[in-house]
Amino acid sequence: MTTTMISSFNSNHINSKALNCILWNTPNISSPRPNLFSSTKRRRLQQIRKKKAHDQATGGDMVSTLISSIAVDETTTTLPVELTALVSVRKSLKLSIQDMMLHWFGNGNHDHFTHHKEKEKSLVLQLVSTETEAESMKPKLSHEAILDWSKDLNLNLILGAEKSSYEVKFEVDPKFGMPGAITVSNKYEKELYLDSINIEGVVNIACNSWIQPDKDSSEKRIFFSTKAYLPDETPAGLKELREMELRQLRGDGTGLRLPSDRTYDYDTYNDIGKPDEGIEYIRSTLGGNYTHPHPRRCRTGRPPTSTDDNMESPENEYKRIYVPRDEEFEEAKQGALDVGKLKGILRHIIPTLTTIASRDSNVFKGYADINCLYSTDMSLPKILNKVQEFLKFDPPKLISDEEFGRQAIAGMNPMSIQRLTVFPPVSKLDSSTYGPQESALKEEHIIGHLHGMSIQQALEENKLFILDYHDIFLPYLDQINALDDRRAYGTRTILFLTSLGTLKPISIELSLPPTNSDSPSKQVLTPPVDATTNWLWQIGKAHVSSNDACAHQLIHHWLRTHACMEPLIIAAHRQLSVMHPIYKLLKPHMRYTLKINALARQFLINAGGVIESNFTAGKYCMEMSCAAYRDWWRFDLEGLPADLLRRGMAVPDSTQVHGIRLVIEDYPYATDGLLIWSAIETLVRTYVNYYYPDASAVNFDTELQAWYNESINLGHADLRHASWWPKLSTPDDLTSILATIIWLTSAQHAALNNGQYPYGGYVPTRSPHMRRLLPEEHDPEYTTFMQDPQKYFLSSFPSLLEATKYMAAIDIISAHSPDEEYIGDRKDLSTWSADTVIIEAFYRFSMEMRRIEKEIERRNTDSNLRNRCGAGVSPYELLMPSSEPGVTCRGVPNSISI
């Protein structure tokens, strides 16, 4: 009794000949052998055929029926039965071009790939049944089988195809039952990428993992079939392996992590400083203390620095920082990143050469110096002419001064603006340390800009809004302003909602810490009335934009998405089996995040890195992020509706689809975001209710509860005692938690990240830091300002060299890679091939993303929506679900992948 069928089985469309072959267990699809079956089994076959005809007529799915019938006839033979599998291995161009050459054109004995009747250089596989042995209660196992590298089936005929497919035959006992998993050992000398294993065209095992050589990892790898199981539903033969796989992923919390490891564990951010390089590179540990609380990161286990045993030595910039092996970028992603880095390096050559020639890079001499960075005729030495097109920056979307208010609701940071409920605004800082809590803003500063309304009337009619960076910046201003080339205020900006639905800035408060001098610590600017006040107004707005850029990067972008999501991802790998339905739901939303965050620690948030070098707070950047985490961040308010209510940008309204009503109807981030939020929530609710019909199912899911508890108690340990953490007791609780996670990792991150270069790449309108304060009449520099206000204004911005480095960095991190996976697209739908409810839910979700895209396109052409349509007005596309590769200012990836 053997079967040699290799099926190109599609789980949604079962070929009738393939069905006959599987059920009759024959070597030839066209030649069934009914004599092998009892009359009972023949009746069962007839039932399945009827079920198949019914499914074709009704659109049902018969996969579960088919799977239950794959087991061979147990009454007709005691000889081993042969099952055939199709094993797909992905070729790595970086790793194995030379090995593939040896394979195809080598020395004839295939030294590198064949086993020569041995196991020294081979891939050894063993099937695991869903059933256990009656006596030992251990899982039933097949005989070990060896993948023969010489037997590539050449199923991928397209030149350059990534995968090679091989046939492997397994001998199993007639009473083996249904295959549910497979173990793999790599006897070859290098790691290999195992893509998938398909058994008899019915049981599919999605591996998608690097298999390390036995010399580096003695543990057998375990891969399960794609079928989802809650812990208490796990087949008996898979329970032990399910627990074993999770133990392997957790590790023991000790030792140096090697690039080949796949262990997930927690650590504090004790690796962003470089104390061995000097006192100026010493940084506090983030996390593990009240002063600098912070979410945890993935542990690497590197040795301590030579000067401080509590600080982990930073990784060399040319060496790969540890993340579990399968979290590494794939080749397309890494290639796109490498190209971006090369462009950044070469682009920096141009201003460097200019500096050498001019001997002055400290200031922009005029707008011509700025515009040359974006122009198509960028001046280069003749030797570089041929790479001119490669080097030039794409022109960013220019943000005029008149659009200052619009950017608060339709720019790269639409998450800071709040509705003003009290005037004047009041600080929450300790008055004994930071001075009076009252604002310097008075009625006379704004009353003339309210179109005849009183302040109280404007408040009651939701006409006043605020960008308030006073409390987050003021505690750090003495340190910031003591840095070279850093000058900052804590700013407050009042905006008025006009009858056209647009926002207009009507006053700016600039605050410094109180001093004993005669200089006031607070000053207020209002819209200009002459040339002098116009330039002061422009400088004031530049300081607001600088505050906003810093808060955007440190709080809304880094903290709320990257940092706060990492612990939940680590916990998911440690506590949720790959078989768990919640793990399967979240998997595409965790892609690349740990790697991105590791690179951030290595190049962005580290001492002297991109963030410190460019943004207002300098070396105090991460301390500011920690303060926001301690005093402001709350997971229960991270969902979009809750966030809008918190900021007063919406009010409860049960008559609305989302249960809230926006106070600014044309708020592009919110209106587009609510469409995506609603679709996510609907998908998640359907999914959760399918697996968890009641509260007891949630409460008794040991893996689910362990995941959530560990995310809080270990991953967010510094805030673990906060009373606001949502409970996880009911399907509604779970729906809310999962919808929030998916929202944060997809749409919210896209809205914050993908517009950084298009909206922030023009330095005069969004400077990452300022170098001069507002000139005051008693200052010696006031005369300079009066003589040449434009020069003073431009000298407030970063230097030419600083600007190009900053532009290069945000250009790289704003770009989509060619292998980006966007919201609404899933590559793993075969996981639920027998669950039509789930398949239909994902299909509806995908269709909803397409509908949302068309609706956003329509809104961007609606002339009544002046915050996204009009002459010189950029359409709001940051939440457009799809995108091409590159810097596009649109596209919602499934995960925090850039």
Side-chain angles (χ1 to χ4, degrees), residues 129-141:
S129 173
T130 56
E131 302 175 7
T132 57
E133 298 287 357
E135 295 182 0
S136 68
M137 300 304 292
K138 294 291 184 181
K140 295 180 179 179
L141 305 174

Side-chain angles (χ1 to χ4, degrees), residues 54 64 74 192 340 353 453 514 537 638 661 682 689 753 788:
H54 176 266
S64 57
E74 300 173 3
L192 296 166
L353 295 175
M453 303 175 72
W537 180 249
E638 285 297 276
R661 176 175 53 81
T682 299
N689 289 340
N753 184 84
D788 193 342

Side-chain angles (χ1 to χ4, degrees), residues 142-274:
S142 73
H143 294 290
E144 288 186 340
I146 298 174
L147 188 149
D148 188 342
W149 297 107
S150 66
K151 294 182 179 179
D152 190 336
L153 299 176
N154 295 317
L155 297 182
N156 300 302
L157 301 178
I158 301 174
L159 184 63
E162 291 184 351
K163 301 176 186 176
S164 289
S165 299
Y166 302 88
E167 177 184 293
V168 177
K169 296 182 182 296
F170 295 92
E171 288 187 354
V172 300
D173 187 88
K175 299 181 180 180
F176 181 77
M178 175 61 57
I182 194 166
T183 63
V184 182
S185 296
N186 181 9
K187 307 297 182 181
Y188 182 55
E189 65 268 23
K190 293 184 179 180
E191 65 176 5
L192 296 166
Y193 191 88
L194 191 58
D195 187 83
S196 63
I197 300 171
N198 189 280
I199 304 165
E200 294 289 353
V202 175
V203 178
N204 189 53
I205 299 174
C207 305
N208 300 315
S209 182
W210 290 96
I211 312 298
Q212 301 304 317
D214 279 4
K215 63 183 179 65
D216 294 332
S217 177
S218 59
E219 294 177 330
K220 287 185 176 181
R221 290 297 307 278
I222 306 165
F223 298 101
F224 299 96
S225 69
T226 56
K227 182 173 174 57
Y229 293 103
L230 290 169
D232 62 353
E233 296 172 349
T234 309
L238 305 181
K239 285 184 177 180
E240 184 178 338
L241 290 182
R242 182 171 184 149
E243 295 169 1
M244 183 186 301
E245 168 75 354
L246 287 173
R247 286 197 299 270
Q248 290 179 3
L249 291 170
R250 292 181 197 130
D252 60 6
T254 63
L256 173 67
R257 294 285 171 244
L258 302 176
S260 58
D261 288 348
R262 48 192 297 268
T263 304
Y264 297 80
D265 201 0
Y266 302 96
D267 207 342
T268 59
Y269 281 66
N270 63 346
D271 64 339
I272 63 172
K274 296 182 284 188

